[in-house]
């Protein structure tokens, strides 16, 4: 049985992601100003570049290499570079094509809030909501009957094991992770905007490589090779602090 407390804790990251998105808009509206169009373009850009195009590539790669988890180093390089290329090139193209009138600090912040804010919402909904449904199925004794014909026995066992063993802290830490990650997305959005304003595409290449380097260690968590979530959160906290410093530093390079 999945405890009631654990099921309740699953709702926390979902609620937090919406609150975070709204809170970022309110915070930066008072701090630097918020422009509506870059927020919307940033949000749609994340969905298209990361959740549609990048995931389509992942599906093709995983289908071709079903045992990718056995090679975390190679998959880490691939996963990091894929995220970097799709997200940073996506930002560059959107700034260049759709946001020509928003090449200032407020525009960059707004775009980053849209990109990072919707990322938090989308990831929490797509990851946590299925877990909630599976938890109810486990408690009702219908998990195997409902999913038995759709996924393998091994996958079913993994789902059941994770839900029975992941405690309250696992889901609460997901909220902390999204809080840290959103500042990285805002920092990258400003970095790429600086590349556009200064007409230095090499900055976009730097952003791709840095993004890939940040994501690379996280592959070991996703493939189950590393399971200490507190170390992961510390790592993300350090990335968030550097990102926050970059957000403030970007003021000097943008109008």
């Amino acid at each position: 049985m999945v405890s009631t407390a654990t099921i309740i804790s699953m709702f926390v990251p979902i609620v937090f992601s919406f609150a975070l998105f709204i809170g970022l808009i309110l915070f930066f509206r008072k701090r630097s100003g918020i422009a509506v169009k870059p927020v919307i373009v940033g949000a749609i850009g994340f969905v298209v570049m990361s959740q549609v195009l990048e995931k389509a590539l992942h599906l093709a790669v995983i289908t071709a290499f079903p045992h990718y988890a056995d090679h975390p180093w190679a998959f880490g390089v691939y996963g990091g570079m894929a995220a970097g290329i799709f997200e940073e090139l996506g930002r560059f193209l959107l700034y260049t094509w759709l946001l020509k009138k928003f090449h200032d600090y407020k525009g960059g912040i707004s775009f980053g809030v849209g990109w990072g804010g919707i990322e938090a919402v989308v990831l929490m909904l797509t990851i946590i909501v299925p877990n909630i449904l599976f938890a109810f199925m486990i408690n009702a004794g219908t998990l195997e009957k409902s999913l038995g014909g759709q996924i393998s026995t091994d996958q079913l066992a993994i789902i059941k094991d994770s839900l029975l063993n992941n405690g309250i802290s696992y889901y609460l830490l997901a909220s902390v992770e999204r809080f840290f990650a959103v500042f990285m997305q805002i920092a990258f959005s400003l970095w790429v905007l600086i590349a556009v304003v200064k007409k230095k595409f090499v900055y976009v290449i730097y952003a791709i490589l840095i993004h890939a380097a940040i994501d690379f260690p996280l592959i070991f968590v996703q493939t189950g090779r590393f399971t200490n979530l507190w170390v992961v959160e510390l790592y993300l906290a350090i990335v968030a602090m550097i990102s926050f410093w970059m957000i403030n530093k970007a003021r000097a390079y943008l109008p």
Side-chain angles (χ1 to χ4, degrees):
M1 295 285 288
V2 181
S3 70
T4 302
T6 299
I7 293 175
I8 292 173
S9 72
M10 292 179 183
F11 288 92
V12 173
I14 297 174
V15 175
F16 179 81
S17 66
F18 283 96
L20 177 62
F21 197 178
I22 296 169
L24 286 168
I25 292 173
L26 296 176
F27 174 78
F28 282 109
R29 185 179 69 174
K30 183 176 292 187
R31 191 169 186 267
S32 60
I34 281 286
V36 175
K37 183 177 179 179
V39 172
I40 295 173
V41 171
I44 295 173
F46 169 78
V47 173
V48 173
M49 298 305 298
S50 176
Q51 300 301 292
V52 178
L53 299 180
E54 185 184 344
K55 282 198 171 181
L57 175 64
H58 290 336
L59 180 61
V61 171
I62 291 173
T63 301
F65 302 97
H67 301 293
Y68 67 92
D70 296 333
H71 308 280
W73 289 91
F75 196 72
V77 172
Y78 156 74
M81 288 301 296
I85 290 171
F86 277 98
E87 294 195 42
E88 306 316 324
L89 279 183
R91 289 186 235 264
F92 177 80
L93 294 174
L94 290 171
Y95 278 133
T96 304
W97 293 346
L98 300 179
L99 297 174
K100 294 179 180 180
K101 295 181 179 180
F102 297 92
H103 290 178
D104 56 3
Y105 185 76
K106 183 173 78 171
I109 287 289
S110 303
F111 183 88
V113 167
W115 192 286
I118 203 66
E119 178 189 45
V121 171
V122 169
L123 292 187
M124 291 303 94
L125 288 175
T126 56
I127 294 173
I128 304 298
V129 170
N131 282 354
I132 294 172
L133 296 176
F134 294 153
F136 282 124
M137 289 180 189
I138 289 174
N139 289 352
T142 60
L143 182 69
E144 288 81 1
K145 182 179 179 180
S146 300
L147 300 180
Q150 303 175 37
I151 62 176
S152 68
T153 304
D154 290 342
Q155 290 175 312
L156 197 62
I158 291 171
I159 291 172
K160 193 170 184 177
D161 183 68
S162 65
L163 286 168
L164 292 174
N165 291 297
N166 290 337
I168 295 173
S169 62
Y170 177 86
Y171 297 100
L172 298 183
L173 284 174
S175 300
V176 179
E177 177 190 337
R178 284 301 97 202
F179 178 77
F180 292 150
V182 74
F183 290 107
M184 182 188 79
Q185 296 291 16
I186 295 172
F188 275 125
S189 297
L190 289 167
W191 184 310
V192 174
L193 179 56
I194 291 171
V196 174
V197 170
K198 302 295 182 183
K199 294 181 171 58
K200 293 187 176 181
F201 187 76
V202 68
Y203 288 0
V204 179
I205 303 299
Y206 295 155
I208 291 172
L209 295 176
I210 294 170
H211 195 140
I214 291 172
D215 281 5
F216 174 77
L218 301 178
I219 293 295
F220 291 86
V221 179
Q222 295 174 10
T223 56
R225 299 302 179 97
F226 188 83
T227 58
N228 191 323
L229 294 180
W230 293 103
V231 173
V232 174
E233 296 305 325
L234 176 60
Y235 170 71
L236 292 174
I238 293 171
V239 171
M241 287 188 287
I242 296 172
S243 298
F244 200 74
W245 174 80
M246 288 176 58
I247 291 169
N248 290 320
K249 197 74 173 175
R251 283 181 177 272
Y253 299 94
L254 292 169

